[in-house]
Amino acid sequence: MTAPVRVLVCDDQALIRTGFTTIIDAQPDLEVVGECADGRAAVGLTARVRPDVVVMDVRMPVLDGIEATRLLAGAGVAEPVKVLVVTTFNLDEYVYEALRAGASGFLLKDAPPAQLLHGIRTVATGAALLAPEVTRQLVGRYAARIRPTDDATGDPALTPRELEVLRLIANGLSNSEIAATLVISQETVKTYVSRILTKLGLRDRVQAVVYAFRQGLVT
């Protein structure tokens, strides 16, 4: 039998922690190995229990979820941990920063239990959890606040077609929607996405979206 996915739940609200833990522990393939109420505790507890996935709140005392995510999964972290950020609609401006910090995806706190479980399983496999419709809603709304970097001229390593695919990813299109837009197969789209991630040294589509906005490729 495959070992269950080990999950750490970090939220400063005890009721939410208890609710998440109850939902997760009821699944045969998931196991909560720790709970904590702030980001600093999450960093310390992660070092001790080595979870596969950290379910992370954004606003917390001592150390917020964004900084905790950066310490657990950011650039330069020797053994990054997969982080699934949870938030509410009125906090979604912070989620962009959490994704930049290294989070593998995010969910809304009012999402049904099935979505939470799906999110944990998805992130645990190494995939990103960033639904196309949420990408449009989140990143599009805050595009004006995302400042391009000083050298935001795109990346010459990408071919024109790869840049085109990257822009469509950043605009929230799924692989099937990109295939329909460019009149190519989904397998071809997957190949382009893989090349883009490899060339730019990006982990997943979440990082690709962030990169595109930071480079001024999407407005």
Side-chain angles (χ1 to χ4, degrees):
M1 294 180 63
T2 303
V5 174
R6 296 164 55 81
V7 182
L8 172 65
V9 177
C10 183
D11 196 294
D12 64 334
Q13 298 183 52
L15 283 176
I16 290 180
R17 286 201 311 276
T18 299
F20 283 177
T21 297
T22 300
I23 292 168
I24 295 167
D25 271 341
Q27 306 302 307
D29 62 328
L30 304 176
E31 175 189 12
V32 174
V33 293
E35 298 180 37
C36 53
D38 65 74
R40 180 64 63 190
V43 173
L45 191 54
T46 294
R48 294 196 299 273
V49 303
R50 301 307 303 171
D52 300 306
V53 177
V54 177
V55 176
M56 181 80 74
D57 189 17
V58 174
R59 278 189 173 175
M60 294 181 292
V62 186
L63 187 71
D64 65 35
I66 294 172
E67 289 305 316
T69 296
R70 187 171 288 113
L71 292 173
L72 291 173
V77 175
E79 297 182 13
V81 179
K82 299 176 180 67
V83 177
L84 177 62
V85 172
V86 291
T87 185
T88 58
F89 273 120
N90 64 344
L91 290 181
D92 58 5
E93 62 186 291
Y94 298 104
V95 176
Y96 171 76
E97 295 301 329
L99 297 178
R100 283 189 63 199
S104 294
F106 71 94
L107 288 173
L108 301 176
K109 281 190 176 179
D110 60 357
Q115 285 190 20
L116 171 65
L117 298 172
H118 171 71
I120 293 170
R121 292 178 177 120
T122 298
V123 170
T125 65
L129 186 73
L130 191 62
E133 63 273 15
V134 178
T135 305
R136 286 188 282 263
Q137 187 175 45
L138 170 67
V139 183
R141 185 182 306 171
Y142 291 95
R145 304 186 188 185
I146 301 174
R147 298 287 181 263
T149 56
D150 293 337
D151 61 346
T153 57
D155 193 304
L158 297 183
T159 66
R161 177 63 96 177
E162 289 166 350
L163 281 171
E164 191 174 12
V165 171
L166 178 58
R167 290 189 179 98
L168 293 175
I169 292 172
N171 277 313
L173 273 67
S174 65
N175 282 358
S176 61
E177 291 171 331
I178 294 174
T181 299
L182 300 180
V183 196
I184 56 179
S185 71
Q186 289 193 49
E187 287 303 315
T188 300
V189 173
K190 291 179 181 178
T191 298
Y192 278 125
V193 172
S194 178
R195 288 177 184 171
I196 291 167
L197 298 181
T198 299
K199 284 185 176 183
L200 299 180
L202 303 175
R203 184 186 61 215
D204 51 41
R205 293 172 76 101
V206 173
Q207 291 191 347
V209 171
V210 173
Y211 176 90
F213 274 90
R214 291 292 291 172
Q215 291 296 316
L217 298 175
V218 183
T219 57

